[in-house]
Amino acid sequence: MIEVEPGVPVLCHCHWQKDRKALTLIVVHGLEGSSESQYMMGIARSGLAAGMNVVRMNQRNCGGMDHCAPTLYNSGRSADVAAVARDLVECDGIPSFVLVGFSMGGNLVLKLAGEWGSSGPAEFRAVAAVCPAINLAAGADALHEPANRIYEYYFLLQLFRRFRRKVKLFPASFDASRLRGITTLREFDDRVTAYYCGFKGADDYYDRAAAAHVLDRIGRPALVIHALNDPFIRILPETRQALLSNPLINYIESEDGGHCAFIGERDGDAAYDGRWAEREVVEFARQFR
């Protein structure tokens, strides 16, 4: 349990090597995911097998933590990731770490890396992001396309359930009536996320929380993996140019992979679980051990 701000703890599952001085992967999940998401478990398996520590971080409210504080998580809370990293350095003595994020978590770790620039903690070695939601407004609009409505319905169902739990737990802090009439993720972010997290509205939230604005400031080696057939993550042309223009960023854009679902051939390797992106992230991190 790590406090990311006074009275707001998050749950982190820490897998340690016998020697905790090994490189540590700090892994952050996506929207309505948790430390139990398949890609989080895949990173844990691959990282541990490669001799690294792995910390699976739950964002606020996630991993069964709704009852802990009257706050909501959002794509702009990069300071929460920084707080977890700081705690691991100060309390567990880790000498080096790599930030890893998937989807929404990818935006968070890239945003933090850009905010730190070249003056981040000495222990910070690199950052990796898979299908990062770094153009938030474009992604929200893509979810509302007819072909993607099933994904939008799923996210809204989960977000509605979570918000109603928060209302029951903290009736003085949240109002269930704000959900009335919401049919899109953008509307949810406008009426709920932005309202309770200090933004003027969805547009303000999407703009201020987007890692796209700080990609040029990333001052540590970075790996970014994106699939052209991702159904709802959009990389805008100017953002792609920013990724390609920073010499510290290795940007991989594949034809296939969908959303965080890069499945590779096992080629007879019994130790390989076929999760290509997770393996690529761990291979990228090896150089910083």
Side-chain angles (χ1 to χ4, degrees), residues 65-259:
M65 299 289 285
D66 282 303
H67 63 285
C68 292
T71 64
L72 301 177
Y73 73 105
N74 67 69
S75 292
R77 293 199 186 278
S78 51
D80 286 5
V81 183
V84 167
R86 182 169 58 250
D87 186 274
L88 292 169
V89 169
E90 295 176 356
C91 299
D92 293 287
I94 64 169
S96 58
F97 65 86
V98 172
L99 298 177
V100 181
F102 290 80
S103 193
M104 175 184 178
N107 180 75
L108 285 166
V109 298
L110 291 174
K111 180 173 180 285
L112 178 58
E115 291 166 342
W116 275 344
S118 57
S119 59
E123 297 82 5
F124 175 42
R125 296 289 188 266
V127 58
V130 179
C131 301
I134 50 181
N135 288 123
L136 293 167
D141 293 340
L143 269 172
H144 196 58
E145 295 172 0
N148 291 330
R149 286 291 278 163
I150 188 171
Y151 299 110
E152 186 169 47
Y153 287 144
Y154 170 78
F155 284 128
L156 286 175
L157 177 65
Q158 299 301 316
L159 289 166
F160 273 43
R161 285 175 175 170
R162 183 180 301 281
F163 187 68
R164 288 182 177 125
R165 285 198 298 271
K166 299 299 286 189
V167 171
K168 289 181 179 179
L169 290 165
F170 303 100
S173 298
F174 300 104
D175 178 7
S177 70
R178 298 199 68 82
L179 294 177
R180 290 175 188 163
I182 291 177
T183 60
T184 70
L185 181 64
R186 178 180 278 275
E187 289 172 347
F188 181 90
D189 284 335
D190 190 66
R191 298 189 59 187
V192 177
T193 308
Y195 181 80
Y196 288 108
C197 297
F199 300 98
K200 296 177 182 177
D203 288 339
D204 182 47
Y205 165 47
Y206 293 153
D207 182 59
R208 288 167 55 191
H213 297 311
V214 296
L215 295 174
D216 62 323
R217 292 163 48 190
I218 291 176
R220 295 286 195 280
L223 172 67
V224 177
I225 299 174
H226 171 66
L228 288 172
N229 70 340
D230 190 310
F232 50 82
I233 297 298
R234 299 289 183 265
I235 304 293
L236 298 178
E238 58 269 27
T239 302
R240 181 178 284 102
Q241 186 57 46
L243 288 164
L244 295 171
S245 296
N246 186 330
L248 290 173
I249 299 176
N250 178 19
Y251 178 53
I252 298 176
E253 192 173 72
S254 69
E255 292 288 337
D256 199 10
H259 186 63

Side-chain angles (χ1 to χ4, degrees), residues 39-61:
Y39 48 79
M40 300 285 279
M41 303 302 291
I43 282 286
R45 286 192 297 271
S46 297
L48 286 167
M52 304 171 192
N53 303 317
V54 180
V55 175
R56 294 180 289 130
M57 173 187 167
N58 283 288
Q59 296 187 52
R60 300 184 187 207
N61 302 322

Side-chain angles (χ1 to χ4, degrees), residues 263-286:
I263 305 301
E265 294 288 343
R266 297 194 180 193
D267 295 327
D269 184 357
Y272 176 40
D273 60 7
R275 304 191 71 88
W276 177 81
E278 287 87 325
R279 185 179 69 172
E280 288 299 299
V281 167
V282 171
E283 287 302 310
F284 167 73
R286 281 181 186 274

